[in-house]
Amino acid sequence: MKTLVINAHPGYTNHEHFSVQLQDKFIELYHTHYPEKDLTIMNLYEEDIPRIEATSLWSVWEKQATGKELSSTESKIAERSQFLLEQFKAHQRVVVSTPLHNFNITSRMKDYIDNLMIARETFRYLTEPDEQGKVSEGLMRANYKMLMLFASGSVYTSDSIYKSVDIAPHYMQTIFQEMMGFDDFQLVRAEGTATQDKDRILNTAFTDIEQKFSSFYQ
Ligand SMILES: Cc1cc2nc3c(=O)[nH]c(=O)nc-3n(C[C@H](O)[C@H](O)[C@H](O)COP(=O)(O)O)c2cc1C
């Protein structure tokens, strides 16, 4: 079973970052159980990730929808986007390591998701709404699982004013589990990094990773 580790931190080379340390812990654990050859690590901030922009994915999609010929630049963008999609689909285990920036995942992670949310690839539209009113269903239902490793400056799990703006994990779960149909979505938090004791935060998060690791591979 192949594992894709996606690092969504612009400062991915700095292993002092909490989310990078959670990723390091996951990879350390991975190596004690599974072979190197089945692990792909992708740093989004050193990769070419096409964006929805007028001269990028947007013009590619518009031309593809209307049967117009792509320019050579657009063809390269389309090929790159297709590669990212195929690579993603080839990994049944996906780990995303991201900091919280302005109440959300990083912008490069959103760009990456924009390359994956392709109708008839990772989800499909229904001809009529189902009994719950849903107009689409996920196509990633062959035992796909996601683990999100998430660092935030504030605490979002206790009853604080921040609880209602805990948007990022909700967004990720919606995209991967509700929309794409992943079997499982698990979240490990290093939270309160701005105010709380660093060692305590990391120890709690490392224990959480260890506890979730075996069920992640079931
Ligand atoms: C640009 C930027 C925006 C941030 N926005 C938030 C935020 O909205 N809420 C929050 O709780 N922390 C915020 N933080 C703090 C980070 O979430 C915190 O430092 C966390 O530990 C980042 O993960 P890292 O240690 O892996 O870099 C922000 C930090 C940066 C640099």
Side-chain angles (χ1 to χ4, degrees):
M1 186 181 299
K2 294 177 78 176
T3 300
L4 176 62
V5 173
I6 300 166
N7 183 296
H9 204 307
Y12 61 93
T13 53
N14 182 350
H15 292 254
E16 286 294 305
H17 289 301
F18 285 86
S19 57
V20 179
Q21 290 198 54
L22 302 193
Q23 177 183 324
D24 288 345
K25 175 69 182 177
F26 175 86
I27 290 171
E28 181 191 309
L29 213 51
Y30 177 90
H31 280 139
T32 61
H33 291 78
Y34 300 108
E36 178 77 38
K37 70 171 179 52
D38 291 334
L39 179 67
T40 308
I41 300 173
M42 181 164 58
N43 298 312
L44 292 183
Y45 280 86
E46 65 173 356
E47 294 282 343
D48 170 18
I49 310 293
R51 303 187 67 195
I52 302 181
E53 285 184 356
T55 56
S56 186
L57 282 179
W58 190 256
S59 66
V60 168
W61 291 342
E62 257 190 348
K63 285 191 176 176
Q64 285 173 336
T66 52
K68 289 193 187 133
E69 200 178 329
L70 302 182
S71 68
S72 64
T73 306
E74 288 165 343
S75 294
K76 286 197 185 91
I77 292 165
E79 275 166 32
R80 177 65 185 160
S81 190
Q82 185 68 27
F83 170 83
L84 292 172
L85 178 64
E86 298 300 335
Q87 180 195 47
F88 171 72
K89 288 168 72 174
H91 293 78
Q92 281 172 295
R93 294 294 175 272
V94 180
V95 179
V96 172
S97 149
T98 183
L100 180 68
H101 282 173
N102 300 322
F103 296 111
N104 217 332
I105 53 169
T106 56
S107 54
R108 204 55 86 89
M109 186 63 209
K110 171 63 167 59
D111 293 339
Y112 179 70
I113 289 170
D114 289 337
N115 288 270
L116 309 177
M117 285 299 289
I118 306 294
R120 296 186 297 280
E121 294 281 356
T122 51
F123 72 98
R124 73 177 184 97
Y125 289 109
L126 302 173
T127 46
E128 55 186 60
D130 70 9
E131 59 280 3
Q132 296 169 305
K134 271 185 79 175
V135 296
S136 69
E137 71 174 8
L139 297 177
M140 304 285 289
R141 286 177 297 188
N143 187 22
Y144 283 89
K145 293 188 180 184
M146 166 158 293
L147 178 63
M148 179 176 176
L149 306 175
F150 182 48
S152 61
S154 302
V155 173
Y156 291 81
T157 51
S158 65
D159 250 336
S160 75
I161 55 159
Y162 291 120
K163 201 169 175 160
S164 65
V165 287
D166 192 24
I167 300 161
H170 178 68
Y171 171 73
M172 292 290 279
Q173 185 161 16
T174 301
I175 289 289
F176 291 96
Q177 198 167 26
E178 297 302 319
M179 292 299 299
M180 292 191 191
F182 272 44
D183 277 10
D184 194 30
F185 174 91
Q186 294 290 330
L187 172 65
V188 169
R189 293 180 192 257
E191 61 176 349
T193 64
T195 53
Q196 313 224 343
D197 180 68
K198 183 181 174 183
D199 290 339
R200 198 187 58 76
I201 292 170
L202 283 174
N203 286 337
T204 304
F206 288 169
T207 304
D208 202 9
I209 293 173
E210 280 163 5
Q211 285 171 350
K212 285 175 173 149
F213 189 83
S214 59
S215 69
F216 188 55
Y217 282 100
Q218 275 164 14

